[in-house]
Amino acid sequence: MKKYILLSIMLLMALPVSGTEHAYTAQKGEWLFIPVSLPEAKIGGGDFYNLKVELDAHDERTEYTLVNGGVKVRSENTGIFKVLLSVNHVTKSSCAGVEVKQYSDDEIQIHVIE
């Protein structure tokens, strides 16, 4: 029975908080994976997408790392903070000109618990 309870708790940590599509719960000090879908770049170069991450927490105890398929975030502080995820469409011409347009943005709320 303890295995099932522990497994249920672990699954809940990876799922959005009930009723709020863009809120997650994470354990203090543990990495939380947030999936981010980037569109495919056009073949031939000069056209790609990048991910910009902005943390609402302004301290050295909250960090993120970009990973394949999204971003991982962790904090050594408890509480609630926001992460802004912006996907940008970048195009480069053969004349060294670069144009960046915001493709999408999403605000994520993370509840960090003890």
Side-chain angles (χ1 to χ4, degrees):
M1 184 68 164
K2 289 182 182 179
K3 280 185 181 179
Y4 296 113
I5 293 171
L6 182 58
L7 180 59
S8 297
I9 291 170
M10 289 171 52
L11 287 173
L12 286 174
M13 294 304 177
L15 296 174
V17 173
S18 174
T20 308
E21 195 170 279
H22 301 287
Y24 293 85
T25 300
Q27 288 290 125
K28 177 181 164 183
E30 294 195 10
W31 288 104
L32 169 69
F33 174 73
I34 301 170
V36 178
S37 178
L38 294 177
E40 289 291 321
K42 291 182 183 173
I43 296 175
D47 181 289
F48 58 95
Y49 294 84
N50 72 357
L51 175 62
K52 178 181 176 187
V53 180
E54 294 180 56
L55 298 176
D56 185 30
H58 302 288
D59 60 51
E60 293 93 32
R61 300 187 67 183
T62 304
E63 62 183 322
Y64 72 91
T65 184
L66 298 176
V67 295
N68 191 18
V71 62
K72 285 185 176 182
V73 180
R74 77 172 167 187
S75 181
E76 293 296 331
N77 295 325
T78 59
I80 299 171
F81 68 94
K82 295 177 186 171
V83 178
L84 180 61
L85 303 173
S86 300
V87 176
N88 297 305
H89 183 208
V90 181
T91 55
K92 298 189 309 183
S93 69
S94 60
C95 299
V98 176
E99 183 177 347
V100 178
K101 291 183 183 175
Q102 187 171 0
Y103 179 79
S104 67
D105 66 350
D106 196 11
E107 188 174 284
I108 306 294
Q109 188 175 56
I110 299 177
H111 302 255
V112 179
I113 59 175
E114 197 66 46

